[in-house]
Amino acid sequence: MAGIRGPDFTNNSYIATQGPMSSTIFEFWLMVYQNVEKIVEEDTDRSILVKQKIIMLTDFVENSRQKCAVYFPQQLNESMVFTSQTTDKTQAVLSRNANVVNDILNFETRQISRPTVPDINFNYFFITNVGICLKNGYSTRKLVVIYSYQANSKNLEICKAFEVYHYWFPDWPDHRSPEDIDVLLDISLDILDSDCSDDFETKTNTSPTKLACALPIIHCSAGIGRTGCLLAILNGLNQIRASINLIDRSEDQTQGDNDLTNTPLEIQQRQSSTWISNQVGVDILGIVCNLRLQRGGMVQNSEQYELIHRALCLYMQSSGIRRKAHVNKRC
């Protein structure tokens, strides 16, 4: 696992990790819980709702090799339990939490304290799939996650609940490029721009006073190839947008309230030269180098490196950004 900085290369904006295997599923969800709890602890009145995104860029099995364990319920209303120790009491956990999810969805409670049950004396995650949205080439799921642990008194069980929005793009071959780059761009823009809850019907009667987003967690199998490509594309998209904003502000300052039709020719030429020198740009090499400083091996081969260029060029073309010809040449 590694914290990944955003396009400014200063503040952590993502978490990159490997896909959980059967022996590490509990630890994976513990990482997710700690990422959410960090935001909650910073809120003084504890009335905050944290939205957590997980982006999965691999299938469970590829070319007859397991790439990732099944760590979330895939079907609607399905529930799964992952424990801190090997046990045969998972059915008892399922029965104990069957009626809790509705209360969570209605924001009636986000934390439950209840007496322990002798058969359930271990920590566990209880995860329920409460929504599925099928999109072009990928899917999103809304998961309600309950983390249960034993209080210090040993006779009290504490249950803390949070929501996860899970993005799954399974059709991206390892060490290769996806067949449809449009899907890759769509999921990238979805991660950056969308309110993940908009795809699901809200069942809440009341709303929390505050909303916050935890760092998105991105993984494939090893967490470096496909994960590195997506992170580079996300940072590249943000760099392009920041560059456009700077150009727009520069143009506004240059033009001011003057009418160019009444401006002397030499001033118009000077302004035009300034505009051209502020073309939209993105430093893909710099992005990849910085990713590799934070997590070794990011972007594994030349095909994946080219994929980053192709995806960002597609974004420029589809957005009608035509004043950055030198960037297209670099692509």
Side-chain angles (χ1 to χ4, degrees):
M1 183 194 79
I4 304 297
R5 299 184 183 95
D8 60 355
F9 306 134
T10 56
N11 299 315
N12 283 344
S13 298
Y14 308 97
I15 293 175
T17 186
Q18 67 185 53
M21 302 306 286
S22 57
S23 59
T24 61
I25 297 178
F26 180 85
E27 286 73 18
F28 176 88
W29 281 112
L30 188 61
M31 173 194 66
V32 177
Y33 164 75
Q34 292 171 346
N35 190 44
V36 171
E37 193 67 10
K38 180 180 178 180
I39 305 296
V40 175
E41 291 174 351
E42 294 174 353
D43 183 56
T44 55
D45 56 12
R46 312 286 287 185
S47 60
I48 195 169
L49 173 64
V50 181
K51 294 182 178 182
Q52 173 70 72
K53 294 181 179 181
I54 297 177
I55 299 93
M56 177 176 173
L57 305 173
T58 181
D59 207 344
F60 298 115
V61 177
E62 298 176 359
N63 298 322
S64 302
R65 294 182 59 185
Q66 185 178 16
K67 295 291 185 176
C68 180
V70 180
Y71 67 92
F72 64 94
Q74 299 171 61
Q75 305 302 320
L76 187 63
N77 298 322
E78 179 187 2
S79 297
M80 299 182 74
V81 174
F82 302 104
T83 62
S84 59
Q85 61 188 49
T86 303
T87 178
D88 59 356
K89 305 297 182 181
T90 56
Q91 188 58 47
V93 174
L94 289 169
S95 301
R96 182 168 172 76
N97 292 282
N99 298 322
V100 175
V101 175
N102 288 334
D103 293 340
I104 299 300
L105 289 174
N106 291 318
F107 292 108
E108 294 177 8
T109 180
R110 288 280 156 175
Q111 179 170 321
I112 300 172
S113 299
R114 55 189 179 181
T116 58
V117 176
D119 287 344
I120 306 175
N121 55 359
F122 47 83
N123 298 355
Y124 64 84
F125 284 96
F126 176 80
I127 305 168
T128 303
N129 185 335
V130 298
I132 302 176
C133 181
L134 301 179
K135 301 193 176 185
N136 180 29
Y138 67 99
S139 59
T140 58
R141 287 167 174 78
K142 181 179 180 180
L143 310 176
V144 172
V145 183
I146 298 173
Y147 175 50
S148 172
Y149 61 92
Q150 308 299 308
N152 292 331
S153 61
K154 300 299 183 181
N155 60 0
L156 197 64
E157 178 187 7
I158 307 297
C159 297
K160 292 188 176 182
F162 57 97
E163 294 174 358
V164 168
Y165 295 89
H166 187 278
Y167 295 70
W168 188 16
F169 180 17
D171 298 325
W172 185 350
D174 199 6
H175 304 286
R176 302 274 304 281
S177 300
E179 291 186 5
D180 191 347
I181 301 181
D182 287 297
V183 176
L184 178 57
L185 182 58
D186 287 345
I187 192 174
S188 300
L189 295 173
D190 198 352
I191 294 166
L192 288 177
D193 298 336
S194 74
D195 182 344
C196 42
S197 60
D198 288 345
D199 292 330
F200 304 93
E201 293 183 5
T202 177
K203 300 179 181 180
T204 58
N205 296 324
T206 59
S207 298
T209 58
K210 300 178 184 177
L211 295 173
C213 294
L215 295 182
I217 297 172
I218 302 175
H219 77 85
C220 48
S221 50
I224 54 176
R226 290 167 284 190
T227 297
C229 283
L230 181 64
L231 286 166
I233 291 169
L234 294 175
N235 278 346
L237 290 171
N238 279 323
Q239 272 194 7
I240 292 171
R241 292 175 172 183
S243 181
I244 293 173
N245 290 336
L246 286 174
I247 291 173
D248 290 340
R249 288 198 298 268
S250 176
E251 289 174 351
D252 291 340
Q253 293 173 359
T254 301
Q255 182 171 341
D257 296 328
N258 296 328
D259 185 356
L260 286 178
T261 59
N262 299 322
T263 303
L265 179 60
E266 62 271 22
I267 297 180
Q268 292 188 37
Q269 291 175 338
R270 186 162 57 250
Q271 290 177 352
S272 177
S273 176
T274 301
W275 183 80
I276 293 173
S277 67
N278 287 316
Q279 299 296 292
V280 175
V282 55
D283 183 8
I284 296 176
L285 177 60
I287 289 173
V288 173
C289 288
N290 273 277
L291 287 176
R292 289 181 168 182
L293 288 174
Q294 297 163 74
R295 183 172 174 84
M298 286 288 205
V299 186
Q300 292 177 297
N301 54 44
S302 58
E303 181 175 347
Q304 292 180 341
Y305 186 66
E306 180 183 355
L307 173 63
I308 301 167
H309 287 75
R310 293 167 61 196
L312 295 178
C313 287
L314 177 62
Y315 171 71
M316 289 176 164
Q317 295 164 3
S318 61
S319 301
I321 305 172
R322 301 184 182 280
R323 49 188 182 182
K324 46 344 190 184
H326 72 289
V327 178
N328 287 334
K329 289 179 181 178
R330 288 174 60 187
C331 294

